Amino acid sequence: MPEIPVSRPALVAPLAEDEWPEEVPVLIVGGGPVGMSSAILLGQRGIESMLLERRDFDTRFPRAHLLNVRTMEIFHEMGVADDIYAMEPIDKDWHKVVWYTTIAGPTPQHGLKIGEVPAWGGGKDAEIYATASPRLFANLPQIRLDRQIHKHAMAALPGRVRANQEVIDIVNLPEGGVVATVLDRATNVERKVKAKYLIAADGGRVSADLLGIDREGPKAIHSILSLYVSTELPMWKESSALLCHMIQPWSGGRTSGVLQALGPGHYGNKSPEWLVAGSLRPGEEPTDDPDVLIARARTLLGVPDDHPMTLNAVSLWQYEGVVADKYRVGSSFVAGDAAHRHPPTGGLGLNGGVQDAHNLAWKIAAVLNGQAPDGLLDSYGLERRPVAAYFTAHSLENANRHTPIGRALGLQDGMAEADGWKELEIFTSDTPEGEARRAAVAAAVKDNEADYSQINVEAGFQYAAGAFIADGPTVRPEPVSPTDFVPTTLPGAHVPHVWLKHSAGGTVSAPVSTIDVHARDAFTLFVDPSAAAAWQEAGAAQAWPVKVVVVADEDTDWSAVSSVGRGGAILVRPDSKVAWRVASAPSDATAALTDAFNQILSGGFELPEDPTQPFLERIRVSAKTLVRR
Ligand SMILES: Cc1cc2nc3c(=O)[nH]c(=O)nc-3n(C[C@H](O)[C@H](O)[C@H](O)COP(=O)(O)OP(=O)(O)OC[C@H]3O[C@@H](n4cnc5c(N)ncnc54)[C@H](O)[C@@H]3O)c2cc1C
C-alpha cells in the first residue's frame, strides 16, 4: 500500500501585501506556533485566512523545544516535519535528564550528580514510543522551530501572513461573524477586518479581555528568569543529557535552576548555545544589566567568574496554571497559550496548542465549505478544554516532584545556605546516614520518571464528549498512568498506529501506518474485506468524502487492537480521532453510516459530567505547594 503524500501545495491565491480584503473567512490573531499552524492547516484546505502578528516573526527566545509524537504527526501532515527532523543533531543523543547541584565548582559538593532518568523515548522507552506513532519525538528550540513553521505558513497563505499588525479590538456580531480592529504598527493606520471566524492565538495577551474569557486557576505562582546564552561548557560531564535540573542549598530543597542544551548541531556538552534558567533568590530583584545576568548564570552553573559567556536574550516569566473557562465566544475561538498556560515541566504547552489548532481547523473548514453546521464548532472546546486542564494539572504535579529530591538531600525551606552545603556533605559521606540519604534521593529521583516518559499523557488522552459517538467509558478513571499507553479504538481516542503490511488482496506490500493511510480532508472507514463492498457503497452515498481502507486479514496487528468483529467498521475523523465504530456488519451499512454522520456533525453535543473540574482541583492543590515561601 503506497504512503499517501500529506504535504500539500498552496491552494490559496496570493494576495498583495498592501491589499486588505473587506472580509476574510478566518482571521488568526498571533503569529506564534499555534497561529501559524492554524494558518497552514486552513491554507492547505483552501481557506483564504489571514494571520496578523503584532511584531515581526523573529522568535527572540528559545522557549519550547520538545515536540511530542502527536505534534510531529500534525507537522508531518503539514509538510513541516522533515524540516524539523533535518535540523536536529544527527546522533540525537539527548535521551536523559539529570539532577546536579551545579555543573562545576570548588568543593566535592559542587558538580555533584544527584540522579538521572531516561527521557523522551530513550532507553527502554524507545519501544513503547514506537507503538504509539510512526513519528519520532523531536527536539528543536522554538527560536528555530518558529522560523520553519513561518516558512510553511507563508507558502500556505501567500501574502496573508502579516507582521506589525496588532489586533486591538474584537467584536463578535450578533448575526454571526466578527470584526477586528487592527493597528498597523509600522504606519500607525487603524483598519477594521471582518471575518466569519476568528482564532485568537495571541498567547493570552489580549484575547481574554477582549472576548470576556476568564482564565481559571492560579496565576503568577512564581517567577523564573531565563537566560539564553552562548558559551562552551567543556567541564560539563554529561554528553547525552538534554536537561539538567540544579538543586542548590539556597533554594530550600526546591529546584534552583535548569541548564538546557540548545544546539544547534550538538545537544550534549558540545552544545554552543544554552538556556540557563533559575528561580529568583529570596529578595532578588530582576535586572536587565547584562553583566549582572551573566554573573548570575556563572554562579548558578558553578563556573569561574571569568568564564566566557555571551548573553543573547533574557526572559522573565511566571509559572501559571490557567485554563480558559470558554473556548468559544460567538464566532471567536481561543487556542494555544490563549486558552491554557502552565509550566514547561512536561513540555505540553506548544504541543497542546498545535493540537488545538489541528482540532479546530478541519471543523472550521467543514463549516465554511458547507459540509457541517456551525454547531460542529461547539465540539472544539468540549474536546480540548478537559485535555488542557489535564495537561495543566500534570505539568504542575511534575514541577512539584522535584522538591522531594531536595528534601531527601536534607534541604529545607528557610535553611541558611551554609547549613545546606553541610547537609550535602552528609549526603556524600561514607556513613549510614549518607547511605540512607542516597537511597531516599534515588527513590525521589525515580518518582520523576513519569515526567519524561509520559507517553500516555502525550498520546493516550481521549475526548470526553464532542464530535463522535461514544460507545464506552469516555471519562477516564483517575489516576491514569502517565507511562502505560494502551492503543484503543474507543470513539474520542486517537486511531491506533499499526503498520499495515499487506494490500487488500493479502500480498505483502511496503508497511504504511494507519495514521498515514487515513485521509485529512475526508473521513476514513477502516473495514475488513468481508463487508468491504457494502461499506464502499455506504461511503459513496455520504455528503462527506469517505475513504474506505480495506485492511487485509493478514494484518492481524490491526485486528488485535481494532475491537470490532468481521464486517464491522471504524470511522476516523480528518484529525485522526475515532468518530464511530460498529462491531459487526449492519443490515444496512448506508443507513448506519448516514445516521452516524448526522450525529457526529450536527452539534448539540452534551457533556454528561464536566471532566475538567477534577483537574482544576488538582491544579489548585499543586499550585499551593509550588508557591515559594
Ligand atoms: C522556558 C519555556 C520552555 C517551554 N518549553 C516547552 C516545551 O518543551 N514544549 C512545549 O510544548 N511548550 C513549551 N513551552 C510553552 C510554549 O513556549 C508555549 O506554549 C507556546 O509558545 C505557545 O504558543 P502560542 O502560539 O499559543 O503563543 P505564543 O508563542 O505566545 O505566540 C503568540 C503570538 O501572538 C502575538 N500577539 C499577541 N497579542 C497580539 C495582538 N493583539 N495582535 C497580534 N498579535 C498578537 C505575539 O506577539 C506572539 O507572537 C515553554 C515555555 C517556556 C517559557
Side-chain angles (χ1 to χ4, degrees):
M1 209 178 284
E3 181 164 351
I4 293 171
V6 285
S7 168
R8 299 150 195 244
L11 296 176
V12 171
L15 193 67
E17 284 283 351
D18 57 355
E19 202 181 326
W20 285 88
E22 257 179 37
E23 182 170 343
V24 292
V26 184
L27 187 66
I28 302 161
V29 184
V34 176
M36 291 193 292
S37 296
S38 305
I40 297 170
L41 290 162
L42 288 166
Q44 290 180 342
R45 289 183 161 85
I47 305 295
E48 297 181 330
S49 322
M50 182 173 268
L51 181 150
L52 304 179
E53 162 59 47
R54 61 187 283 271
R55 304 186 308 177
D56 55 27
F57 289 95
D58 287 337
T59 310
R60 291 150 190 85
F61 211 79
R63 299 208 290 163
H65 55 112
L66 298 167
L67 305 170
N68 67 40
V69 295
R70 291 288 179 250
T71 302
M72 290 309 295
E73 288 172 16
I74 298 169
F75 283 151
H76 181 70
E77 173 187 335
M78 294 177 183
V80 182
D82 286 347
D83 287 346
I84 293 171
Y85 289 132
M87 293 188 78
E88 288 192 298
I90 293 160
D91 57 10
K92 289 202 175 195
D93 194 13
W94 41 264
H95 285 306
K96 72 175 174 179
V97 168
V98 295
W99 283 260
Y100 274 72
T101 49
T102 57
I103 67 159
T107 75
Q109 284 69 47
H110 287 84
L112 176 68
K113 185 162 185 172
I114 297 167
E116 72 171 53
V117 296
W120 308 300
K124 65 180 168 51
D125 280 347
E127 209 172 305
I128 187 163
Y129 270 72
T131 65
S133 175
R135 305 281 94 82
L136 291 172
F137 221 105
N139 174 24
L140 190 66
Q142 222 172 312
I143 200 155
R144 295 182 201 110
L145 171 72
D146 284 359
R147 280 179 210 150
Q148 294 305 316
I149 313 179
H150 179 238
K151 185 178 77 184
H152 287 266
M154 299 278 278
L157 290 178
R160 295 164 191 269
V161 176
R162 299 191 174 174
N164 296 318
Q165 306 299 325
E166 180 167 6
V167 172
I168 53 175
D169 197 18
I170 301 172
V171 177
N172 279 296
L173 304 174
E175 67 274 21
V178 54
V179 175
T181 308
V182 184
L183 170 69
D184 186 324
R185 285 160 55 113
T187 60
N188 239 5
V189 170
E190 254 182 55
R191 55 173 63 85
K192 306 253 185 229
V193 182
K194 193 170 178 215
K196 290 204 168 58
Y197 293 107
L198 179 144
I199 301 176
D202 63 316
R205 208 168 178 281
V206 292
S207 56
D209 287 347
L210 295 181
L211 294 170
I213 287 172
D214 189 22
R215 277 173 294 163
E216 296 178 80
K219 303 168 186 86
I221 297 171
H222 74 254
S223 307
I224 306 282
L225 186 58
S226 291
L227 310 179
Y228 165 32
V229 301
S230 297
T231 186
E232 289 181 10
L233 296 175
M235 71 294 281
W236 177 221
K237 297 187 205 92
E238 299 286 352
S239 60
S240 58
L242 177 72
L243 262 190
C244 171
H245 295 284
M246 291 172 282
I247 300 182
Q248 299 171 0
W250 59 266
S251 59
R254 293 152 192 272
T255 316
S256 317
V258 169
L259 174 68
Q260 180 201 323
L262 294 174
H266 294 279
Y267 280 72
N269 50 6
K270 293 200 194 101
S271 174
E273 296 180 3
W274 302 85
L275 183 79
V276 184
S279 305
L280 292 179
R281 287 179 180 243
E284 183 181 356
E285 288 298 326
T287 171
D288 52 11
D289 180 336
D291 292 337
V292 176
L293 291 167
I294 288 180
R296 183 180 206 282
R298 290 182 182 127
T299 308
L300 196 61
L301 297 176
V303 299
D305 291 348
D306 57 354
H307 183 81
M309 193 178 283
T310 309
L311 183 64
N312 302 321
V314 185
S315 169
L316 180 67
W317 53 281
Q318 296 281 339
Y319 263 29
E320 290 182 282
V322 294
V323 182
D325 65 342
K326 299 181 273 300
Y327 271 44
R328 174 179 194 171
V329 179
S331 299
S332 303
F333 303 86
V334 283
D337 274 20
H340 41 78
R341 281 149 74 111
H342 51 70
T345 37
L348 294 165
L350 182 148
N351 286 291
V354 171
Q355 291 159 22
D356 290 343
H358 193 235
N359 182 295
L360 186 56
W362 75 270
K363 293 175 182 172
I364 290 188
V367 174
L368 289 171
N369 290 334
Q371 293 170 299
D374 172 273
L376 172 65
L377 301 175
D378 292 337
S379 66
Y380 165 63
L382 280 181
E383 292 177 353
R384 296 301 305 167
R385 188 168 167 268
V387 175
Y390 171 43
F391 283 0
T392 304
H394 182 73
S395 302
L396 289 164
E397 286 160 4
N398 282 347
N400 263 325
R401 270 188 279 272
H402 295 270
T403 309
I405 303 175
R407 297 281 181 263
L409 284 165
L411 306 174
Q412 297 297 335
D413 274 325
M415 183 177 265
E417 185 169 350
D419 293 337
W421 287 112
K422 283 188 195 134
E423 294 296 329
L424 291 176
E425 283 173 28
I426 299 172
F427 170 73
T428 51
S429 67
D430 193 10
T431 62
E433 195 177 350
E435 202 170 311
R437 283 198 188 182
R438 288 191 288 278
V441 166
V445 168
K446 196 166 170 39
D447 277 350
N448 281 263
E449 272 183 356
D451 187 350
Y452 305 100
S453 303
Q454 48 174 17
I455 183 69
N456 200 31
V457 179
E458 294 156 359
F461 60 80
Q462 177 193 338
Y463 295 145
F468 58 89
I469 302 170
D471 68 15
T474 55
V475 178
R476 301 193 307 175
E478 289 291 324
V480 173
S481 157
T483 49
D484 298 339
F485 173 76
V486 181
T488 172
T489 59
L490 269 172
H494 201 81
V495 62
H497 151 60
V498 168
W499 292 111
L500 302 179
K501 297 173 185 156
H502 301 83
S503 61
T507 45
V508 174
S509 57
V512 58
S513 168
T514 42
I515 302 233
D516 291 332
V517 89
H518 88 73
R520 265 52 184 195
D521 282 335
F523 278 68
T524 303
L525 266 178
F526 285 89
V527 303
D528 66 66
S530 71
W535 286 118
Q536 295 276 14
E537 199 178 305
Q542 304 306 315
W544 260 85
V546 177
K547 177 181 181 187
V548 179
V549 174
V550 182
V551 181
D553 292 335
E554 290 75 7
D555 277 319
T556 48
D557 288 351
W558 175 251
S559 33
V561 296
S562 72
S563 296
V564 300
R566 285 200 72 69
I570 294 167
L571 184 67
V572 176
R573 306 191 322 197
D575 64 354
S576 312
K577 299 295 181 271
V578 177
W580 172 66
R581 61 183 182 173
V582 56
S584 56
S587 56
D588 183 343
T590 301
L593 187 60
T594 306
D595 186 45
F597 264 107
N598 287 340
Q599 286 187 59
I600 293 160
L601 300 173
S602 63
F605 312 109
E606 277 176 29
L607 199 54
E609 53 179 299
D610 182 2
T612 313
Q613 291 310 321
F615 296 123
L616 291 174
E617 183 51 27
R618 277 167 56 183
I619 291 167
R620 281 187 280 271
V621 169
S622 292
K624 272 189 206 141
T625 326
L626 271 173
V627 173
R628 302 216 166 219
R629 285 172 283 273

